[in-house]
């Protein structure tokens, strides 16, 4: 099966700085890469996703990049705010349906005011 | 619009006892998923339903876990008997139609199970 590795496990930044979280995957057939934000006591919430035919996608302060050759993808958050503090998970999926998402172990992001 | 609803939020039981979790997906969502999230890790799929049919249960420990989704709406996940290693957060999720790539996966807040 797929193996998704995520780094770093914890990340602390000052408000207004940028944060970058990186993930690698093992299955070259994976074609869909979502990112989820999980706040304490809540379920994961999709914040951005990218398909394998796209190299970069941006949504306001959040962007995701994908390097299929190297099998890695990254989440970029600019102008961080305290409310960005949460655990972020990357995930990978193969096939035409959301059959089985393979998640990374998560990154605890803390944004200090 | 109501999100995915799960109950109970917390459950504490002794080992060897049975336990059940309930999930009501977003109205109209045909695909339902049960994930387990161990402390400090990402969620792992246990079972996926398309309407009433379990289309992927390969990761469900069938000796002690069972699930059902009668009438293709809400679902119940059961553990009997529970073991210490079952302590985790059990997440339910749903998507609109067969979970086609590009569709959003919506998670509930989960049930946190502690087995003593």
């Amino acid at each position: 099966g797929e193996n998704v590795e995520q780094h770093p496990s914890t990340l602390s930044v000052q408000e207004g700085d940028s944060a970058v979280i990186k993930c690698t995957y093992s299955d070259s057939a994976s074609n869909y890469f979502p990112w989820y934000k999980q706040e304490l006591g809540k379920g994961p919430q999709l914040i951005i996703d990218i398909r394998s035919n796209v190299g970069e996608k941006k949504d306001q302060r959040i962007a995701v990049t994908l390097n299929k050759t190297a099998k890695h993808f990254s989440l970029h958050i600019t102008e961080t705010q305290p409310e960005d503090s949460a655990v972020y998970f990357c995930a990978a999926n193969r096939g035409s349906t959301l059959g089985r998402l393979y998640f990374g172990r998560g990154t605890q992001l803390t944004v200090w005011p | 619009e109501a999100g995915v609803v799960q109950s109970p939020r917390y459950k504490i039981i002794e080992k060897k006892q049975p336990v059940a979790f309930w999930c009501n997906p977003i109205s109209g969502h045909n695909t339902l998923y049960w994930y387990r999230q161990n402390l400090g890790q990402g969620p792992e799929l246990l079972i996926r339903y398309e309407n009433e049919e379990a289309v992927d249960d390969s990761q469900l420990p069938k000796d002690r876990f069972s699930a059902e989704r009668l009438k293709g709406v809400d679902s119940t996940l059961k553990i009997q008997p529970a073991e210490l290693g079952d302590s985790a957060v059990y997440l339910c999720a749903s998507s609109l139609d067969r979970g086609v790539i590009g569709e959003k996966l919506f998670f509930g807040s989960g049930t946190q199970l502690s087995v003593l």
Side-chain angles (χ1 to χ4, degrees):
Chain A
E2 174 67 277
N3 181 40
V4 178
E5 295 195 358
Q6 183 172 348
H7 300 280
S9 57
T10 60
L11 180 59
S12 293
V13 299
Q14 202 74 32
E15 182 178 1
D17 288 349
S18 296
V20 180
I21 303 171
K22 299 181 179 181
C23 290
T24 61
Y25 61 99
S26 61
D27 188 347
S28 57
S30 289
N31 57 4
Y32 175 66
F33 307 91
W35 285 88
Y36 288 84
K37 176 183 180 181
Q38 187 171 27
E39 297 176 331
L40 195 62
K42 297 184 178 180
Q45 180 182 11
L46 179 69
I47 55 171
I48 195 168
D49 57 10
I50 191 167
R51 302 190 198 190
S52 59
N53 59 349
V54 176
E56 183 174 356
K57 184 176 179 180
K58 189 174 182 180
D59 183 5
Q60 298 182 345
R61 297 185 298 109
I62 296 174
V64 58
T65 58
L66 171 66
N67 184 326
K68 285 171 51 181
T69 302
K71 290 191 281 188
H72 68 69
F73 55 114
S74 300
L75 177 71
H76 305 252
I77 306 174
T78 59
E79 300 173 22
T80 54
Q81 302 167 2
E83 50 265 39
D84 294 330
S85 297
V87 179
Y88 290 81
F89 291 96
C90 62
N93 182 91
R94 62 178 294 176
S96 60
T97 62
L98 279 172
R100 187 180 303 180
L101 279 174
Y102 292 88
F103 285 83
R105 295 175 67 97
T107 296
Q108 172 68 63
L109 173 64
T110 303
V111 181
W112 300 99
Chain B
E1 176 184 288
V4 176
V5 179
Q6 291 188 247
S7 68
R9 286 286 283 121
Y10 305 94
K11 190 74 178 178
I12 301 173
I13 61 172
E14 294 187 346
K15 63 182 180 181
K16 300 185 181 179
Q17 294 299 306
V19 65
F21 316 121
W22 176 80
C23 171
N24 186 247
I26 293 173
S27 178
H29 280 199
N30 296 322
T31 306
L32 183 146
Y33 313 72
W34 283 102
Y35 279 82
R36 176 169 60 188
Q37 185 174 22
N38 292 313
L39 188 64
Q41 297 187 20
E44 296 178 321
L45 181 71
L46 291 173
I47 189 168
R48 174 171 65 100
Y49 282 93
E50 290 180 11
N51 298 306
E52 308 85 12
E53 182 182 1
V55 295
D56 184 356
D57 62 357
S58 58
Q59 300 295 99
L60 191 71
K62 298 182 184 62
D63 57 336
R64 298 184 299 107
F65 285 65
S66 64
E68 61 182 12
R69 191 184 183 197
L70 300 177
K71 301 180 181 178
V73 182
D74 54 358
S75 175
T76 303
L77 178 68
K78 298 178 181 178
I79 308 175
Q80 183 171 10
E83 297 180 352
L84 295 176
D86 295 332
S87 295
V89 175
Y90 291 82
L91 293 164
C92 179
S94 69
S95 61
L96 182 59
D97 186 18
R98 297 191 66 215
V100 175
I101 292 296
E103 284 190 19
K104 280 192 171 185
L105 189 65
F106 294 86
F107 282 89
S109 295
T111 295
Q112 185 170 329
L113 173 67
S114 296
V115 182
L116 307 178

